[in-house]
Amino acid sequence: MIVAASAPLTVVAGGVTTSFAVTGSLGVPLGFLLIAVILTVFAVGYTAMGRFITNAGAFYAYVAQGLGRPLGVGGSLVALVAYNAMQVGIYGLFGFQLSAFIEAKTGFASPWWVWVLLCIVVVGVLGVNRVDLSAKVLGTLVALEFVAVILFDIVSFKTAPEGISTAALNPSALFGPALGIILVFGVAAFMGFESGAIYGEEAKDPKRTVPRATYLAVALIGLFYAFSAWAFSVGIGPSQIVAASQESGPDLMFVFMTDRTSVIISDIMSILFITSLFAALQAFHNAVARYLYSLGREGVVSHKFSHTSKAGAPWAGSVAQSVIALVIVVGFALAGDAFGGAEAMFGDSAFLFPVLTMFTWLTNTGAAGLVLLMSLTAFAVIGFFRKRPAKLSVWTTVIAPALSGVLLAAMFVAILANFPLMLGQKEPDLTTFLLPGLIIAAFVIGVVWALVLRAKSPKLYSQIGHGTEPGAYGTAMIDVVGVEEVGAP
């Protein structure tokens, strides 16, 4: 689930080329390694805290128990906005890519939103079933993505117009003026990092498997992306990769493979690019559903969201996420198609409307929110172990969380500072401030709502962030079912 959310083929085809194009630097491969190191340091305290907390709300529960319930609720609303933004934003790119591919191969021109609406149904159906069904589907798709990218890497090294150059691995390429921008664009490739803890309640042995999955995923993602970004620079040529990325963007990989292999292989990779987006959609959908389940169980939002299907999946949260996606997609479709909004905004580039608005706006907003959440969670680790001393090292409980928290906070500030660049804007406009403002507003509203709950319902307030502990809402019902199943009176 963690790797599916990061969408390997999408990152290599789209994220790597975008980073090269926007930063104008060869330091992109080392940028992935540096982010992986930062997240590994973050994971030291994060996974240690996870041994004491198993909650589908993950970051929300961690912040609530480490920094206090008001900040926890604030973080939970940031998570809902961020994960929904990431998920719905990806729909824009998915619809555009699928529509464009079908038109290129068959001549049939179809609105991008038609395929998105169909995809929402499929994602929703998988979302209300057991998580292992989604895992099997996504596991297959992710495995095929890795095969496709590895094939591309092999062809790149075989082509190597300037030889097997290590120019992109020179530290001076990273540690220069473009360092901050490289990290800002690279961190989006690791979104979904929290997923391991989100599925803790559904794992057979979360105390062991969640830390293992978290470390394995960040190491695999970091090394794989760094190696593939280096391969990209070798295949195109270090002196040409920036200009080629600026000219062709995400199509560069597929154009390269068509020229060096065959149209069939390029088409297969294009299809896998689309399924890569689908895998990410499913992973983020599941994350939103489980957040709503956790919040509903504890009464932060309606208790109806705590309902699960016979298979154990949080169906109420899943349906709610599908409805949110449907409403937003319809809104963008009406703005872009029905009223000629795309032509008015982008002129000849109107066909890119779902990519330039829905995908770009929402995914960058989501990435900003998740980086903020990770920073809060890092500091929450320090607060948690200060209140609950454990036989763990100072490195685990203080130094590593503090270091990663400061670095992630700096990265969040860098994202806000470079937001116009991330949106492809020459000059700031309303969206420059409105979109990140949604993250800040969600956090403030959450804090205020927690204070209201403290005044109106102290008992409910006391359960915030403690949904799986004895006596919490929903736990007693689970216990009763368990007793009945073994035949006790």
Side-chain angles (χ1 to χ4, degrees):
M1 288 294 183
I2 297 172
V3 178
S6 74
L9 184 53
T10 300
V11 169
V12 176
V16 169
T17 52
T18 300
S19 293
F20 277 126
V22 175
T23 65
S25 170
L26 291 177
V28 174
L30 291 182
F32 284 120
L33 288 182
L34 181 56
I35 295 170
V37 169
I38 294 172
L39 293 183
T40 299
V41 174
F42 167 80
V44 170
Y46 175 60
T47 56
M49 191 171 175
R51 300 186 194 119
F52 299 86
I53 301 175
T54 300
N55 192 305
F59 283 164
Y60 149 67
Y62 289 22
V63 175
Q65 295 201 35
L67 297 180
R69 292 171 176 81
L71 295 183
V73 177
S76 73
L77 294 197
V78 170
L80 286 177
V81 171
Y83 277 118
N84 271 298
M86 291 291 290
Q87 203 263 3
V88 179
I90 293 171
Y91 272 124
L93 183 57
F94 173 87
F96 171 80
Q97 289 293 143
L98 184 52
S99 176
F101 181 78
I102 291 174
E103 184 174 0
K105 296 304 170 184
T106 67
F108 174 64
S110 56
W112 62 271
W113 48 263
V114 169
W115 305 109
V116 174
L117 296 180
L118 292 174
C119 187
I120 289 175
V121 174
V122 176
V123 169
V125 169
L126 287 173
V128 298
N129 282 282
R130 285 181 61 89
V131 70
D132 52 0
L133 174 61
S134 293
K136 290 174 183 176
V137 173
L138 300 194
T140 301
L141 295 179
V142 169
L144 292 173
E145 287 181 59
F146 273 98
V147 171
V149 176
I150 290 170
L151 176 61
F152 168 76
D153 293 345
I154 293 172
V155 174
S156 293
F157 283 113
K158 184 178 179 180
T159 302
E162 301 175 22
I164 309 297
S165 171
T166 58
L169 301 181
N170 190 329
S172 64
L174 174 64
F175 295 101
L179 174 60
I181 304 175
I182 291 173
L183 296 181
V184 163
F185 277 87
V187 73
F190 293 82
M191 294 300 97
F193 180 73
E194 177 193 12
S195 299
I198 287 177
Y199 297 104
E201 293 184 41
E202 297 162 87
K204 293 180 180 179
D205 186 5
K207 307 301 182 185
R208 181 174 60 89
T209 57
V210 170
R212 178 186 296 178
T214 302
Y215 280 117
L216 182 61
V218 72
L220 179 64
I221 292 170
L223 291 172
F224 188 69
Y225 289 167
F227 181 82
S228 297
W230 175 43
F232 219 139
S233 73
V234 171
I236 304 299
S239 66
Q240 300 297 320
I241 184 64
V242 171
S245 296
Q246 292 171 340
E247 180 180 351
S248 300
D251 287 337
L252 181 59
M253 171 185 277
F254 307 110
V255 172
F256 175 85
M257 292 300 287
T258 300
D259 293 341
R260 303 307 191 281
T261 57
S262 67
V263 173
I264 293 177
I265 291 179
S266 179
D267 285 348
I268 291 173
M269 291 185 67
S270 295
I271 292 171
L272 290 174
F273 181 45
I274 294 169
T275 60
S276 170
L277 294 170
F278 173 81
L281 287 167
Q282 189 68 56
F284 284 118
H285 170 91
N286 289 348
V288 173
R290 281 152 183 79
Y291 256 99
L292 286 171
Y293 164 77
S294 179
L295 294 172
R297 174 177 57 193
E298 297 173 15
V300 176
V301 297
S302 172
H303 285 310
K304 293 180 180 179
F305 287 111
S306 65
H307 293 170
T308 58
S309 64
K310 292 181 179 179
W315 72 264
S318 179
V319 170
Q321 203 288 320
S322 296
V323 171
I324 291 170
L326 178 63
V327 170
I328 297 176
V329 168
V330 169
F332 273 93
L334 291 175
D337 295 342
F339 302 118
E343 288 77 7
M345 293 178 70
F346 302 110
D348 294 338
S349 299
F351 72 101
L352 285 169
F353 176 76
V355 178
L356 297 177
T357 58
M358 191 169 161
F359 173 72
T360 304
W361 292 0
L362 298 183
T363 54
N364 282 312
T365 301
L370 293 175
V371 170
L372 173 61
L373 266 179
M374 286 192 288
S375 178
L376 287 172
T377 303
F379 292 118
V381 173
I382 300 173
F384 179 81
F385 286 112
R386 179 174 295 177
K387 290 181 283 187
R388 302 169 181 78
K391 295 180 180 180
L392 298 171
S393 67
V394 176
W395 163 254
T396 299
T397 60
V398 178
I399 299 175
L403 179 60
S404 60
V406 170
L407 291 173
L408 287 165
M411 202 176 297
F412 176 69
V413 173
I415 289 175
L416 297 184
N418 289 283
F419 216 73
L421 186 63
M422 296 175 70
L423 299 185
Q425 299 170 334
K426 294 182 179 179
E427 296 292 338
D429 60 22
L430 180 61
T431 57
T432 309
F433 306 99
L434 179 62
L435 293 172
L438 294 175
I439 298 297
I440 305 301
F443 182 74
V444 172
I445 291 171
V447 171
V448 172
W449 177 238
L451 297 177
V452 171
L453 290 176
R454 184 173 66 182
K456 286 189 173 183
S457 181
K459 183 177 180 181
L460 187 152
Y461 177 81
S462 68
Q463 298 177 19
I464 291 176
H466 299 260
T468 56
E469 296 179 8
Y473 179 84
T475 307
M477 186 177 296
I478 293 172
D479 292 341
V480 169
V481 172
V483 169
E484 292 176 346
E485 286 177 348
V486 296

